[in-house]
Every structure is written in structure tokens, then in C-alpha cells.
Amino acid sequence: MTSAVLNAAPGATGSRSPRAAFKVRTIGVFPPTVVLSFVVIALVLAWSLLPGVFTSSSPVDGVPADKFLAPSPQHWFGTDHLGRDQFARVVFGTQSSISSALVAVIIGVVVGGAIGLIGGFIGSWTDTVLARFVDVLLAIPSFLLAVVIVSSLGFQTINAAIATGVSAVAVFARVMRSEVLKTRRATFVEAAYLQGGSKWHVLGRHVLPNASRSVLALAVLQFGLSILVIAGLAFLGYGDPPPASDWGLLISNGKDYPRAPWLVLWPALVTIATVLSVNRISRWLRQTS
């Protein structure tokens, strides 16, 4: 009986490897910071989908008598130089900021993922040509590339989103290619070929689903980065002109009024909180994948 207890002791005491213990913790309980991040993102998404639910004030029309009012229960984020409610402008500007970042991520995932998938799976001269194209994109700073593209397309938020997406193509192509090369050599892929599977069947059934896991975490991370890049472009005047209320444009307009710091503070805090929450979720996805 004693020997049985001793033999069962390692399992009975619940001793696990650090990796196994980490998986149990992450699967059973969400870390508080991850829960908070999801709450922040859920709130921001609700602002973008139903802005009228959260404020009855107009983001365009203001009351001149109420200009430069400090934050109060009537105006949570204060008012600007035209008496417009800053909270309403931040809430209504969320739709443009979030949707444009989403467009940028979709462009990066689809175009960059396709380049990495084709180059990594086909190989040969196709991979060489596509790899050199990606190297050229990586040689250009992403923000500079976005500025050049949006200058060519025109100063609008949708064009800023397209420019941001194009600047992210190289990153997604590199990650997808690396995952495809690793997956292509896996045993189950070779077994699929031996069972008579065609190249395109193996690509769609086995390679693509397994190679895209790392791209998901990167897409979440790129979503936060796209918010920053698009806000930076709007700050420099490459987005929609006033009276638009993109977060970057709000910060740019508020910097001209140093005696009303809330005009910069609140849009900046919302942007920072959103990006940090997205980054935390991305890091959690990488740890649990």
C-alpha cells in the first residue's frame, strides 16, 4: 500500500511541468488584464456601432456659449472652441478610427497572406521573386510608405487605411511564408500526399489552416498598430478634414489650445487604452496558441 501511494505521489500531488501548469491556468481562468482589455475593446466597438446610444449630443453642432468648458457631469470630456461636446466627438470618431484600422488589417492579411502562402508553398523562382518584393517593402519605413501612398491617393481616412494596409503587407507575408515552410515539411502533410491528395487539396485542407494560426495573433497586434498609424496620419492632416472627429484629428485640433488640455488628453487616453488592450489580447493569444 505504501509503495502504491509513493508511486502515485507525483500524480496525486498535481506536480506538472511549467508548460502544463501554464496551460491549465490560461484555459481555466482569464488573467485580469485580459478581461479588462476585452472590456475596453467591447466598449470601443459599441461606440463604433451604436454611438447614439452613448451620447445625445451632436459631434458637429456646438453651442458657442459653452465653448472651452472643463469636464463635468454635463460634458464628460469638456467642450471645444466651438462649444461641441468632446465626448460626443470621441464616440462618433470611434467608427472611423476602428473601421479604417479594420480595413488596413484586412488588406494586410489578404494580400500579405496570399504572397507568403504562394511563395512558401510553391517555392522555386516564384518564392524568390515574391521574397525580393517583400524585401523591398521591408526596406521602406512603414509610416513613410503610408504617407507616400496616401499622398498619391488623396487626403481621406479610407485612403489612409489603404496606405496603412499596404505598409503591413510585408510583415504578414514574412510570417505566413515562415509558417507555410514549417507546415509543408510536417508528417501529416506528407501523409496527405501519400493518400493521393492533390497539391491544392493539401494546401487548402492542411497547410493553410495550420499556417494561419500565427497570423491571427499578428492580425490582432496589427489592428492596434493600424489605429496608431491612422491616428498619426490624421494628426498630420492626411485623413478626413474637419468637422470629422477621427481620434488623431481631435488630438491635432486640441494641441492649438494649451489652456484646454482636455481636448488632447481624452482622445489620447482613449487611443492609448485601445491600443494597449489590443496588444495585451494579442500577447495572450500568442501565449495560449
Side-chain angles (χ1 to χ4, degrees), residues 76-228:
W76 290 358
F77 291 178
T79 61
D80 63 4
H81 61 292
L82 296 178
R84 295 174 296 190
D85 185 77
Q86 188 74 350
F87 177 72
R89 289 179 61 75
V90 171
V91 170
F92 278 89
T94 303
Q95 183 176 16
S96 176
S97 300
I98 296 300
S99 60
S100 56
L102 184 61
V103 169
V105 171
I106 291 175
I107 293 174
V109 170
V110 173
V111 179
I115 292 175
L117 183 65
I118 294 173
F121 188 74
I122 296 179
S124 186
W125 63 268
T126 303
D127 185 29
T128 302
V129 172
L130 293 178
R132 298 295 77 77
F133 172 72
V134 170
D135 290 340
V136 171
L137 291 179
L138 289 174
I140 306 173
S142 58
F143 191 81
L144 177 60
L145 180 61
V147 169
V148 172
I149 294 174
V150 76
S151 299
S152 303
L153 297 177
F155 295 172
Q156 291 182 348
T157 300
I158 185 62
N159 293 337
I162 295 174
T164 305
V166 172
S167 66
V169 164
V171 178
F172 284 101
R174 273 290 181 88
V175 173
M176 177 62 82
R177 178 181 179 274
S178 175
E179 292 297 320
V180 169
L181 290 176
K182 182 173 62 177
T183 307
R184 192 178 65 178
R185 303 186 184 96
T187 304
F188 63 88
V189 173
E190 296 179 359
Y193 279 120
L194 293 176
Q195 292 177 356
S198 65
K199 177 180 293 187
W200 300 111
H201 171 78
V202 173
L203 175 64
R205 184 68 181 273
H206 300 287
V207 176
L208 180 59
N210 288 278
S212 59
R213 293 176 181 176
S214 297
V215 177
L216 174 61
L218 177 61
V220 176
L221 181 64
Q222 185 63 36
F223 179 74
L225 180 60
S226 297
I227 292 176
L228 281 181

Side-chain angles (χ1 to χ4, degrees), residues 17-44:
S17 65
R19 183 180 180 86
F22 176 77
K23 287 185 177 180
V24 171
R25 289 198 303 271
T26 54
I27 294 175
V29 180
F30 289 94
T33 54
V34 174
V35 175
L36 179 60
S37 298
F38 274 113
V39 170
V40 172
I41 297 303
L43 178 61
V44 170

Side-chain angles (χ1 to χ4, degrees), residues 54-69:
F54 296 91
T55 177
S56 58
S57 301
S58 171
V60 178
D61 301 324
V63 180
D66 293 340
K67 63 181 181 180
F68 293 127
L69 293 181

